[in-house]
Amino acid sequence: MEPMRGGSPFRVRAAIPADAPAIARIYNQGIEDRIATFETRLRSPEEIGVWFDGVHPVVIVEEGGEVIAFAATFPYRSRECYAGVAEFSVYVAREARGRGAGRLAMGALIRAAEEAGFWKLVSRVFVENAASRRLLHSLGFREVGIYEKHARLDGRWRDVIIVERLIPPNLRDEASPAVSER
Ligand SMILES: CC(C)(COP(=O)(O)OP(=O)(O)OC[C@H]1O[C@@H](n2cnc3c(N)ncnc32)[C@H](O)[C@@H]1OP(=O)(O)O)[C@@H](O)C(=O)NCCC(=O)NCCS
């Protein structure tokens, strides 16, 4: 992946296992903020390390040499027919939100997922998460529908919006992409 140049203070690149502590710090901020995930247990860098499975791309955004955002893909289902579908997450460090890092990370993740042979990204977004909904809408994600009372966060039932984005613009029957060798 080419680092971004020009007037932007940001650089985007594929993540490596050595980025796990920085990714954990940013993810844990998102967990603590209670705006993005049902997760409440903070993650260790070792737990982030297992994301690097050689199949599912992870990208990070740096500013001044510091990691300030990440976007990651994860397995969707174990059934073989869904091998080209990936879950995803995007998190920006608290101090860096609202300056374009999330957009940069997601754009890079979409490209990396396409290069890896995935044909669809899916996730779920809290209905109240306006920043995430706007970001994803502007990147071509479709809001499929709402899961009502999908789980409880701190004892309160929460609704989530299912989002999806087909990756190749010309997905057709005769050109079904293959996920790269595992
Ligand atoms: C959601 C998140 C990833 C967006 O990344 P970001 O770097 O803050 O957002 P960007 O600066 O790239 O902006 C992307 C779009 O979202 C909009 N946006 C950003 N913050 C917003 C806010 N607080 N409210 C409404 N819209 C917002 C921007 O205006 C922009 O839309 P536009 O291009 O149509 O103007 C980031 O705010 C974040 O990490 N939040 C906490 C974790 C989270 O919610 N992750 C998503 C889980 S599904």
Side-chain angles (χ1 to χ4, degrees), residues 26 30 33 35-37 88-93 96-104 123-126 129-136 138:
I26 296 167
D33 290 345
I35 54 174
T37 175
F88 73 93
S89 286
V90 54
Y91 286 80
V92 178
R97 290 177 195 159
R99 294 197 293 124
R103 172 181 301 283
L104 192 59
S123 193
R124 291 153 307 283
V125 181
F126 285 140
N129 193 344
S132 184
R133 289 180 66 181
R134 181 143 171 193
L135 168 67
L136 297 175
S138 71

Side-chain angles (χ1 to χ4, degrees), residues 100-157:
R103 172 181 301 283
L104 192 59
M106 274 310 297
L109 189 75
I110 293 166
R111 288 192 299 280
E114 179 166 21
E115 282 166 18
F118 289 93
W119 61 76
K120 181 185 281 198
L121 294 178
V122 299
S123 193
R124 291 153 307 283
V125 181
F126 285 140
V127 171
E128 302 83 357
N129 193 344
S132 184
R133 289 180 66 181
R134 181 143 171 193
L135 168 67
L136 297 175
H137 176 76
S138 71
L139 288 170
F141 283 83
R142 186 171 77 89
E143 295 193 341
V144 178
I146 296 177
Y147 282 132
E148 289 182 9
K149 297 183 169 64
H150 203 47
R152 276 179 294 208
L153 179 61
D154 296 330
R156 188 162 75 84
W157 289 109

